[in-house]
Amino acid sequence: MHRCSFTCLENGSDSAPTLCDILWCGFREWDSSSIVWDALANSYARAQMNHDALYVLSKMNSLNMQISITTYDSLLYSLRKADVALAIFKEMESCGIPPSDYSHGILIDGLCKQGKIGEALSFLQETRKEGKFKPLGMTFNTLMSALCNWGFIQDAKSVFCLMLKYGLNPSRHTYSTIIHGLCKVGSVNEAFDIFQSVTEEGMELDIVTCNSLINGFRLHGHTREIPKMIEMMRGLGVEPDVVTYTILITGHCEGGDVEEGMRIRKDILGQGIELNIVTYSVLINALFKKGLFYEVENLFGEICSIGLELDVIAYSILIHGFCKLGEIGRALQVWNLMCCSQRVIPTSVNHVSILLGLCKKGFLDEARSYLETVASKYQPSDVVLYNVVIDGYAKVGDIGNAVQLYDAIIMAGMCPTIVTCNSLLYGYCKFGDLHMAESYFMAIQLSDLLPTTVTYTTLMDALSEAGKVHSMLSIFKEMTGKGIRPNAITYSVVIKGLCKQLMFHDAKNVLDDMYREGFDADPIPYNTLIQGFCETQDAKNAFYVYELMVCRGVMPSPVTYNLLVNVLCLKGLVIHAEMKLESFRKQGAELRKFAYTTLIKAQCAKGMPYKAIMWVGKLLDAGFEASIEDFSAAINRLCKRQFTREALMLISIMLSVGVYPDIQLYRVLGTAVQKKNESFYLPILQALAIKTGI
């Protein structure tokens, strides 16, 4: 057998015909020649030279030689991931060779690895029905693992019951598989019950199983249970590893508590456990989401200082995070580091992040230069990268450079997408060339590309801004007639266009049509109509639309409340504005600082100083930070109405929250004091000015 294996490897692939000729010529008179043929086939199968093994088997069949079950099993194992495996098994049975203890397991393992779970189950049922199935714990474990990975936990539990029915004792691997499957589908409590029951019976489950259960707690929002689970592990003599702690840190970071994640990191390092790049990536990603730039830099420095190699995910998090924070220079440094590593190749996602960051900063020349570098070295045919820069040029109305890049796409043999065309259309609209925009819109319709909601909405918005409401409505009708579904922005564009022409009745009809069509409840179209009424100071109809949206189950946004408070203040209905804002507060509405400051300024202008001071307190109690501009706006208005004493009260509040008056504000107060002949306030102002460094 060993000599056959050596001969197979020595002669290499496609050597079977030659060796078969030698056997036929040299051993055909020997009574045991079939054993040599079988050994040759087995050796080819074990060496995974499947074509040669099949050739030898076909020769043996033609010579009526007996093929051993060992050879069939070797070939089954070698071909278990291929479609031909089932055919070989059936051929074996048709030759009257009974399967070995391992034959069924090999075939089921192969079907599972091919993702053919249904076929594996059918095969199991068929062989059981025929009474041919030879149960092994390994076979059941394989099948249960595949079912759990696909989320078919009930089927996995049925296989588990069948395993018990055959009298097989579940192993540690069996329970680990079931626990993993239960955690995956969210049945964490059931998984924990099994874990507890099994460990109480004395079975030692490994760290992988414990981590699987801990990860289940994390995935389904039970982060508080993880420390208890870790203590239980330690009681069983299983020490947490870096994976355990990474799961715990991930749970805290996902819940927004990155500070706790960083504290755990410190504790782990104190225990002498080295963190891996996955742990660092989780922490860095969470820090970026909080905008904690310096903490990211410190952690990145720590990674570099210990010589930990970054993977593509870590690089991507850093590049995307720096770009999102506007630190495009830092992102480029990381990108250069990535390129120099010669281990990780930048991906299209990395390039998109950098291009988006450059365009957002207005560095369009740099973005184009970067694009040309990437196109020549890394991604020569990625139209998505061109789309980003074209969109950047379009947003600033630089249609010339946008068209140049469009031509570059064509010259490179790439096909522009509808995203490319939508950006160019927006560019023409932004540039103010409405005639060209309409012509280009027609060109898109005549091309092979299908216009999208964005295509129609972009042109409709330009027509609306130009006052061409009838043309806008015509395009809208064409869009819906073609079955292209409008979105909230589309409806807002239509409503805004109608409101600009004071066609409020038509605008309300569009809003009603949107509701009847069952579109998603989005506050944007409602806010647009409310704003239209506010601009004409029609507070009654503005509140009518607000009541309508609440009645229809549409959640008002902070913009809604801003508009309503503002229109009441503009109408001089300050008391009504105060009552409404208080009502919104009691309802738990999501308010912005603008609503408060609008009311405060109106109260100051209307000569209601104490009301204004009271609402400044409410603004601060709501957790908003009042700026020097906010206080100055109120104090200026109070001084104009000669409420100098009350204005000075606001100065006290300013100082109490750490906001200091500037020289301009002292001048306003000094002028007001002198104008009202209240010179006794001047020494107080001078003392304050000196104290605050003016």
Side-chain angles (χ1 to χ4, degrees):
M1 173 69 81
H2 293 301
R3 179 61 187 163
C4 281
S5 297
F6 178 76
T7 304
C8 291
L9 293 171
E10 188 180 60
N11 287 275
S13 183
D14 296 325
S15 60
T18 303
L19 291 178
C20 284
D21 287 342
I22 293 170
L23 286 177
W24 176 246
C25 295
F27 292 89
R28 62 179 171 179
E29 301 299 329
W30 185 37
D31 292 340
S32 300
S33 63
S34 64
I35 296 173
V36 181
W37 284 80
D38 189 70
L40 181 64
N42 198 323
S43 297
Y44 274 126
R46 286 174 177 272
Q48 296 190 349
M49 298 163 71
N50 300 319
H51 180 74
D52 291 276
L54 289 169
Y55 181 87
V56 176
L57 290 184
S58 67
K59 280 289 187 182
M60 290 180 72
N61 282 326
S62 67
L63 296 170
N64 293 320
M65 290 182 177
Q66 182 71 32
I67 302 168
S68 70
I69 183 60
T70 305
T71 298
Y72 270 119
D73 279 351
S74 295
L75 191 59
L76 270 177
Y77 184 80
S78 184
L79 289 168
R80 69 193 186 283
K81 296 178 186 178
D83 293 336
V84 72
L86 189 57
I88 290 171
F89 184 88
K90 289 180 178 177
E91 178 189 310
M92 179 181 76
E93 286 192 314
S94 67
C95 293
I97 300 172
S100 72
D101 290 347
Y102 299 102
S103 303
H104 295 108
I106 293 168
L107 188 60
I108 287 173
D109 178 56
L111 290 169
C112 289
K113 281 184 168 60
Q114 293 177 63
K116 297 177 179 178
I117 311 298
E119 288 185 35
L121 286 170
S122 298
F123 175 75
L124 175 65
Q125 290 170 353
E126 185 181 323
T127 50
R128 284 187 66 239
K129 190 182 293 183
E130 294 171 357
K132 298 177 182 178
F133 180 65
K134 296 183 179 180
L136 284 177
M138 175 187 67
T139 307
F140 289 106
N141 287 342
T142 298
L143 196 51
M144 280 188 284
S145 181
L147 288 165
C148 287
N149 286 335
W150 283 86
F152 302 138
I153 188 62
Q154 292 305 322
D155 293 308
K157 287 162 80 172
S158 298
V159 172
F160 178 76
C161 292
L162 186 62
M163 181 182 185
L164 296 176
K165 187 177 179 181
Y166 275 106
L168 297 171
N169 291 323
S171 65
R172 182 170 65 180
H173 179 70
T174 310
Y175 286 113
S176 295
T177 299
I178 290 292
I179 288 169
H180 172 74
L182 288 167
C183 290
K184 192 170 183 178
V185 299
S187 301
V188 188
N189 291 331
E190 187 178 351
F192 180 73
D193 289 343
I194 292 173
F195 176 86
Q196 203 168 24
S197 173
V198 170
T199 51
E200 283 174 359
E201 290 174 6
M203 182 173 284
E204 295 181 2
L205 296 179
D206 58 16
I207 186 66
V208 175
T209 310
C210 296
N211 286 342
S212 181
L213 187 53
I214 288 170
N215 198 41
F217 283 126
R218 176 191 71 83
L219 286 171
H220 301 285
H222 304 301
T223 309
R224 291 181 180 178
E225 301 298 321
I226 296 177
K228 299 176 188 176
M229 182 66 201
I230 291 174
E231 287 303 312
M232 184 180 289
M233 282 170 57
R234 286 189 169 126
L236 296 169
V238 181
E239 279 299 314
D241 61 4
V242 68
V243 176
T244 316
Y245 288 116
T246 300
I247 295 167
L248 179 58
I249 288 170
T250 303
H252 285 295
C253 289
E254 286 174 343
D257 192 358
V258 67
E259 292 80 9
E260 180 63 15
M262 291 291 283
R263 188 195 64 76
I264 294 168
R265 162 194 150 271
K266 189 175 179 181
D267 289 347
I268 297 168
L269 293 173
Q271 295 174 34
I273 299 174
E274 292 182 1
L275 301 182
N276 58 29
I277 195 59
V278 176
T279 319
Y280 279 108
S281 296
V282 168
L283 286 167
I284 288 171
N285 190 46
L287 290 169
F288 270 128
K289 286 181 179 177
K290 291 267 191 175
L292 301 172
F293 173 79
Y294 293 107
E295 286 80 353
V296 169
E297 286 285 20
N298 290 336
L299 216 54
F300 184 38
E302 185 177 304
I303 292 171
C304 297
S305 67
I306 62 176
L308 192 62
E309 291 186 340
L310 281 76
D311 58 14
V312 68
I313 294 173
Y315 277 117
S316 298
I317 289 169
L318 284 163
I319 290 170
H320 179 73
F322 281 130
C323 287
K324 198 169 181 182
L325 290 180
E327 298 289 340
I328 190 66
R330 197 70 182 92
L332 286 167
Q333 288 176 356
V334 174
W335 181 79
N336 284 326
L337 191 66
M338 185 183 192
C339 296
C340 294
S341 71
Q342 297 182 340
R343 256 190 81 253
V344 182
I345 299 173
T347 67
S348 181
V349 173
N350 303 143
H351 300 314
V352 166
S353 292
I354 288 175
L355 288 171
L356 284 170
L358 287 167
C359 291
K360 189 176 179 181
K361 281 280 192 178
F363 301 148
L364 293 169
D365 291 340
E366 290 81 356
R368 186 166 183 173
S369 176
Y370 181 90
L371 173 64
E372 289 167 356
T373 302
V374 169
S376 63
K377 288 186 178 180
Y378 301 104
Q379 306 282 344
S381 59
D382 193 343
V383 72
V384 174
L385 304 182
Y386 284 87
N387 287 348
V388 173
V389 186
I390 288 172
D391 190 61
Y393 280 123
K395 281 179 177 172
V396 297
D398 188 348
I399 194 64
N401 275 308
V403 170
Q404 280 182 19
L405 279 181
Y406 179 88
D407 292 340
I409 291 174
I410 304 297
M411 292 293 290
M414 292 182 283
C415 295
T417 65
I418 191 60
V419 175
T420 323
C421 297
N422 287 346
S423 292
L424 274 182
L425 179 63
Y426 180 84
Y428 285 121
C429 295
K430 180 79 173 178
F431 186 66
D433 193 343
L434 189 55
H435 175 72
M436 190 61 197
E438 289 180 289
S439 299
Y440 189 65
F441 177 77
M442 292 297 296
I444 294 172
Q445 290 183 308
L446 294 172
S447 71
D448 294 332
L449 297 171
L450 294 174
T452 64
T453 304
V454 174
T455 317
Y456 281 95
T457 304
T458 300
L459 182 60
M460 286 163 56
D461 191 39
L463 291 167
S464 168
E465 289 296 324
K468 295 187 174 184
V469 176
H470 293 295
S471 298
M472 177 196 72
L473 292 173
S474 176
I475 295 291
F476 181 60
K477 187 176 180 181
E478 178 189 321
M479 173 187 176
T480 53
K482 288 183 176 180
I484 298 173
R485 185 181 174 90
N487 58 25
I489 304 297
T490 314
Y491 280 110
S492 294
V493 165
V494 175
I495 291 168
K496 182 180 70 173
L498 291 168
C499 288
K500 283 179 72 174
Q501 301 299 313
L502 304 181
M503 299 167 68
F504 292 110
H505 180 73
D506 295 313
K508 185 182 175 304
N509 286 340
V510 170
L511 196 66
D512 291 339
D513 289 340
M514 180 188 78
Y515 177 70
R516 279 193 292 269
E517 290 293 327
F519 284 88
D520 292 336
D522 194 299
I524 294 175
Y526 291 89
N527 288 344
T528 304
L529 185 52
I530 289 172
Q531 185 173 5
F533 284 122
C534 288
E535 286 173 358
T536 59
Q537 296 193 20
D538 188 347
K540 182 179 178 181
N541 275 309
F543 272 91
Y544 168 78
V545 177
Y546 164 72
E547 296 294 344
L548 190 66
M549 72 188 294
V550 172
C551 181
R552 290 175 177 177
V554 181
M555 181 66 70
S557 69
V559 173
T560 316
Y561 302 117
N562 290 347
L563 290 168
L564 294 172
V565 171
N566 192 47
V567 72
L568 289 171
C569 291
L570 287 173
K571 291 279 286 183
L573 303 172
V574 181
I575 294 175
H576 285 79
E578 181 184 341
M579 291 169 61
K580 283 294 179 185
L581 186 54
E582 187 59 46
S583 172
F584 295 151
R585 278 164 50 88
K586 288 179 179 176
Q587 292 168 21
E590 185 185 351
L591 298 169
R592 287 185 184 159
K593 187 171 75 170
F594 178 86
Y596 287 89
T597 55
T598 299
L599 177 61
I600 291 165
K601 285 187 284 188
Q603 289 169 330
C604 292
K606 282 288 184 180
M608 304 164 66
Y610 293 105
K611 288 279 189 181
I613 291 168
M614 181 184 72
W615 276 93
V616 167
K618 289 185 178 183
L619 180 147
L620 296 171
D621 289 341
F624 294 108
E625 290 184 5
S627 65
I628 179 68
E629 290 79 16
D630 298 326
F631 281 108
S632 295
I635 291 169
N636 279 324
R637 284 168 173 77
L638 288 175
C639 288
K640 281 183 182 179
R641 295 296 302 270
Q642 297 187 3
F643 290 108
T644 51
R645 181 167 174 270
E646 291 79 1
L648 286 168
M649 290 172 68
L650 281 179
I651 293 289
S652 299
I653 297 173
M654 280 180 71
L655 296 173
S656 70
V657 295
V659 179
Y660 299 102
D662 56 16
I663 192 166
Q664 183 60 38
L665 195 54
Y666 280 121
R667 284 173 181 168
V668 169
L669 284 164
T671 303
V673 165
Q674 289 175 342
K675 191 174 181 180
K676 204 178 176 185
N677 294 320
E678 294 179 336
S679 301
F680 52 86
Y681 284 126
L682 287 174
I684 298 173
L685 288 175
Q686 289 172 349
L688 282 173
I690 293 168
K691 189 176 180 180
T692 53
I694 300 297

